[in-house]
Amino acid sequence: MSEEKKSPDGNGKVSRVIRIGTRKSQLACIQTDSVAAKLKELYPDLHLEIIGMTTTGDKILDTALSKIGEKSLFTKELENALERNEVDLVVHSLKDLPTTLPPGFTIGAVLKRENPHDAVVLHPKHAGKSLDTLPENSVIGTSSLRRAAQLKKRFPHLEFKDIRGNLNTRLKKLDEKADFAAIILAAAGLRRMERTRMIHYGALAVEVRARDTDILEMVSVLHDSDTVLRCIAERAFLKQLEGGCSVPVAVHTEVKDSQLYLTGAVYSLDGSDSLKETMQASVAADDKVTEPVQHVGITASKISGEAQGRAERLGVDLANLLLSKGAKEILTVARQLNDAR
């Protein structure tokens, strides 16, 4: 549990100390600072302490993510600290969290997602061009099999090469070397780094110990209901497909008029073979109060349990539809080819 200590103003008032774990990268710290600011605004008496850590994924920079084989590359050290009570909660990019969490942990908050899109950053010598107009055999850098497969399908005249490192490192590699004509990055990350006062998110997650009901209750106010339902459907889809860094799987969601639309796709490594389908389900809220239940690792007691259940079933159903059409065969071959590279 968290510590208690007197507030620094010396007035004798006891304030709660909440320790927040984060990766040490600049982007991770920006994300964590934004979560801390929201908590401080909601709970002015909180004293927050941010503790930075280096993860396995931060240390191994000479190997493609898809080749390392570890599912918790950017989260394991943070979860170890959570388990040892060295921190009270940790902030992640939700995409870094496996669809099955270690026992005793839960995602207590999923913040509003603003921009999940990818962005193309061109080498200065190609300024003004697009992927369509880049010269034949231009090399594009990306650490994602999913991005590479989708782009190979759309731009067969380009070549794709793995690029590792944090966002600043990858941008530096693009600018200072002639290896890449462009790199593909998360638009959200670029916006956070360049305009920290105008932050637009992919989905951020706050992970806590499931038994710490007071911490769980505290962070639950950060939940955004639409983002929670979208992420439950996405995580259920990925879990059913056993999708991860080692296979090209894509998923997109949208909530409109109380309907959750889920589009999922699987690709061969070169993008030549693919399956893509869309399904929808009602996520209209009901007034029924239910006991908190985890849905693919997420606990959101203030959001309709029925709606969460429908979102999870939607993800499973779409995955099963793709599996029935041959997705397992596509992904098995993709995994074997990736392992052999």
Side-chain angles (χ1 to χ4, degrees):
M1 295 296 289
S2 56
E3 303 170 1
E4 299 280 345
K5 82 173 190 179
K6 290 185 178 180
S7 59
D9 59 13
N11 63 9
K13 182 180 178 183
V14 174
S15 63
R16 187 97 183 253
V17 179
I18 301 295
R19 301 155 301 171
I20 305 176
T22 179
R23 291 168 60 198
K24 287 183 177 179
S25 74
Q26 184 182 357
L27 179 56
C29 289
I30 289 171
Q31 294 174 167
T32 302
D33 286 346
S34 71
V35 172
K38 290 178 185 294
L39 287 173
K40 192 70 175 175
E41 182 180 341
L42 292 163
Y43 306 102
D45 291 337
L46 279 183
H47 180 76
L48 302 175
E49 180 183 352
I50 296 176
I51 300 172
M53 304 174 208
T54 301
T55 66
T56 303
D58 297 315
K59 297 173 185 175
I60 304 175
L61 298 177
D62 58 352
T63 306
L65 293 176
S66 61
K67 300 285 285 183
I68 297 173
E70 168 64 54
K71 288 186 176 180
S72 305
L73 283 173
F74 297 105
T75 62
K76 189 172 184 179
E77 286 77 8
L78 296 169
E79 289 173 333
N80 287 344
L82 195 58
E83 186 174 31
R84 293 191 298 262
N85 292 323
E86 295 171 357
V87 295
D88 300 295
L89 55 98
V90 291
V91 177
H92 305 282
S93 290
L94 185 57
K95 65 179 179 59
D96 291 334
L97 276 171
T99 52
T100 300
L101 300 182
F105 297 137
T106 189
I107 298 167
V110 179
L111 282 73
K112 183 175 177 62
R113 171 195 281 162
E114 296 290 351
N115 190 340
H117 297 105
D118 297 332
V120 178
V121 183
L122 292 158
H123 188 281
K125 71 179 181 183
H126 294 299
K129 293 181 181 176
S130 65
L131 293 180
D132 265 321
T133 58
L134 282 174
E136 187 88 13
N137 299 323
S138 291
V139 178
I140 311 301
T142 175
S143 59
S144 163
L145 287 182
R146 186 267 305 169
R147 286 173 177 155
Q150 288 178 310
L151 292 172
K152 284 175 184 176
K153 183 178 178 68
R154 175 69 178 79
F155 305 102
H157 69 292
L158 301 176
E159 295 184 6
F160 294 84
K161 183 179 175 182
D162 190 76
I163 183 170
R164 289 293 318 281
N166 62 37
L167 191 144
N168 282 333
T169 299
R170 282 177 280 172
L171 288 172
K172 188 175 181 181
K173 286 179 180 178
L174 175 67
D175 287 339
E176 296 183 357
K177 296 183 178 182
D179 297 3
F180 301 101
I183 59 176
I184 311 299
L185 299 169
L190 284 169
R191 286 182 171 154
R192 290 182 194 125
M193 296 291 280
E194 294 176 351
R195 297 197 295 274
T196 58
R197 300 297 180 189
M198 299 173 62
I199 296 174
H200 296 269
Y201 296 113
L204 293 184
V206 179
E207 187 178 17
V208 303
R209 292 179 291 269
R211 68 176 185 273
D212 287 353
T213 54
D214 55 342
I215 298 289
L216 194 54
E217 176 69 18
M218 181 188 73
V219 302
S220 68
V221 297
L222 300 176
H223 270 312
D224 176 75
S225 58
D226 278 3
T227 307
V228 167
L229 295 172
R230 292 170 65 185
C231 289
I232 286 174
E234 292 165 8
R235 286 172 63 81
F237 172 78
L238 293 170
K239 183 177 182 179
Q240 189 71 4
L241 280 179
E242 298 181 3
C245 290
S246 61
V247 288
V249 178
V251 61
H252 176 73
T253 49
E254 182 180 10
V255 175
K256 187 176 181 181
D257 298 328
S258 297
Q259 291 288 313
L260 174 58
Y261 297 86
L262 176 65
T263 299
V266 300
Y267 297 86
S268 59
L269 286 189
D270 63 2
S272 62
D273 198 5
S274 64
L275 288 169
K276 182 178 179 180
E277 294 288 347
T278 299
M279 294 178 70
Q280 69 187 77
S282 170
V283 287
D286 55 50
D287 297 326
K288 188 184 298 182
V289 177
T290 57
E291 288 295 313
V293 175
Q294 282 197 38
H295 293 275
V296 274
I298 297 172
T299 299
S301 59
K302 294 180 174 63
I303 298 172
S304 165
E306 285 289 327
Q308 292 182 66
R310 289 193 292 270
E312 184 170 4
R313 287 193 295 275
L314 176 64
V316 172
D317 289 346
L318 182 61
N320 286 337
L321 175 61
L322 290 180
L323 288 169
S324 72
K325 295 190 173 188
K328 184 174 182 180
E329 289 73 19
I330 292 174
L331 294 180
T332 296
V333 172
R335 190 175 280 110
Q336 290 170 345
L337 289 175
N338 181 59
D339 289 344
R341 288 196 303 181

